[in-house]
Amino acid sequence: MSKKIYLYGNWKMNNTYSETEKFFAEFEGAYAPYKNDANLEVGIFAPFTSLWPLSQGAQKCGIVYGAQNVYYEPKGAFTGEISIPMLQEYKVTHIILGHSERRHIFLESDEVIAKKTKAVLDAGMIPVFCYGETLEERESGNTFSVMERQLKSVLNGLTSAEVEKIIYAYEPVWAIGTGKTATPDQAEEVCGWSRKLIGDDKVVILYGGSVKGSNAKELLSMKDIDGALVGGASLKPASFLEIYAAYKG
C-alpha cells in the first residue's frame, strides 16, 4: 500500500482576494483526477486577506486550508495581530508556525513560537510547525543542535497526544526560495533524526525547500518524508499538483 502524501502549499505574501478566486477557478478542474485519492491530502495556506475566497474554494474542492501565522492571545491590545477566534470563523483548521521567515525576518523567538503552538493545540487546531538550519549553521556543524533546540522548545510540556497532532515541517533555511534543494539523503537524514527525537513513529514530517515536479519523486519516496511544504510552486495549480503527479508517476 502506498503511503499517504501531504501536499501543503504556503503562498506566503502572494495572491490577492481576486487572484485566489482565479486560482480556484483553475484548481477545481486540475484537482478533479486526485479528489478521491485516499493517499493524498492537499492543503493551502493563504494570507489573511485571502482567507474568505480560500475557505470557499477549499471547501468546494474538499481540501485542507489554513493561515500562515496567528497570535497566542484570544483578543486584546495587539495591533496588527490575528487571533485564533478570528480564524475559527473561517473554519480554519491548520496554522503554519515557526516558519524561518517569521524567525529570521520578524525575529520570533522559540518561546513565542511555543506559546503559539500550545494555543493552537488548546483550540483543537493543527499546528504545522516549521524548523530548520541556516547555511552557516549547517556548514559549522550545528545542524542537529539548532534543530534539537527548536523542536524541544515546542515539545516541552506537551502531552503525547498533542505531540502527535502537530505536523512537523523540516525546512533548511538555505533551500527556501533559493532554488537549492537538500539532497534526498540530506532531507531523509534530518527527517529520520527528527522522528527519533520526537519519539513517535506516527508523527507526520514534511520536507520544504524548493520542492517542485522535477525533484518530487526522489524526495517523497524517502521513508521518513511524509510530504512537502511547497512555496513558489504552489502558486499555480499545474505546478503544485505536478509534484504529486511526479511522485505517483
Side-chain angles (χ1 to χ4, degrees):
M1 179 178 162
S2 300
K3 69 177 179 180
K4 183 172 182 177
I5 294 293
Y6 295 78
L7 182 62
Y8 284 3
N10 175 16
W11 283 358
K12 307 189 181 184
M13 198 174 72
N14 293 290
N15 284 349
T16 63
Y17 189 111
S18 60
E19 288 169 339
T20 301
E21 290 181 316
K22 182 181 177 184
F23 175 92
F24 277 100
E26 298 174 13
F27 181 82
E28 187 175 5
Y31 180 60
Y34 308 102
K35 189 168 185 175
N36 297 316
D37 188 337
N39 288 322
L40 173 64
E41 179 172 294
V42 173
I44 293 176
F45 298 78
F48 295 128
T49 53
S50 294
L51 284 180
W52 176 249
L54 171 66
S55 68
Q56 299 306 291
Q59 289 179 59
K60 187 176 181 181
C61 294
I63 66 169
V64 167
Y65 64 96
Q68 300 173 7
N69 190 29
V70 75
Y71 196 56
Y72 53 80
E73 294 288 355
K75 62 181 178 179
F78 305 105
T79 300
E81 292 297 325
I82 300 290
S83 71
I84 288 171
M86 292 172 182
L87 295 179
Q88 287 175 321
E89 290 204 347
Y90 290 90
K91 296 183 169 58
V92 163
T93 54
H94 292 56
I95 303 174
I96 293 175
L97 299 170
H99 193 280
S100 65
E101 291 154 7
R102 299 302 311 176
R103 294 177 188 270
H104 297 289
I105 299 174
F106 301 102
L107 306 181
E108 288 190 8
S109 65
D110 288 337
E111 180 184 12
V112 165
I113 294 163
K115 284 183 177 180
K116 290 181 177 186
T117 303
K118 187 66 169 75
V120 169
L121 288 166
D122 287 346
M125 301 163 85
I126 298 174
V128 180
F129 174 77
C130 301
Y131 63 103
E133 83 283 19
T134 65
L135 183 60
E136 182 181 2
E137 288 164 343
R138 173 167 278 271
E139 290 181 342
S140 60
N142 292 322
T143 292
F144 295 104
S145 60
V146 167
M147 289 187 294
E148 183 172 3
R149 186 200 78 231
Q150 292 173 345
L151 283 164
K152 285 188 173 179
S153 70
V154 81
L155 296 173
N156 184 40
L158 298 184
T159 66
S160 57
E162 288 174 325
V163 168
E164 197 168 298
K165 192 173 182 182
I166 296 170
I167 292 175
Y168 302 85
Y170 167 54
E171 293 202 311
V173 182
W174 48 271
I176 299 173
T178 62
K180 296 179 180 178
T181 311
T183 67
D185 287 339
Q186 286 174 324
E188 171 68 5
E189 179 187 25
V190 173
C191 291
W193 171 89
S194 301
R195 201 177 298 277
K196 288 186 178 71
L197 179 73
I198 295 164
D200 189 330
D201 285 340
K202 291 181 285 187
V203 295
V204 173
I205 302 179
L206 314 180
Y207 168 75
S210 300
V211 179
K212 45 192 177 292
S214 60
N215 58 28
K217 188 171 184 67
E218 281 189 296
L219 287 164
L220 297 181
S221 296
M222 290 290 166
K223 174 180 172 290
D224 284 301
I225 299 176
D226 299 309
L229 183 57
V230 183
S234 71
L235 297 176
K236 299 292 182 184
S239 56
F240 187 37
L241 294 172
E242 180 188 16
I243 291 168
Y244 185 64
Y247 166 71
K248 290 285 283 185

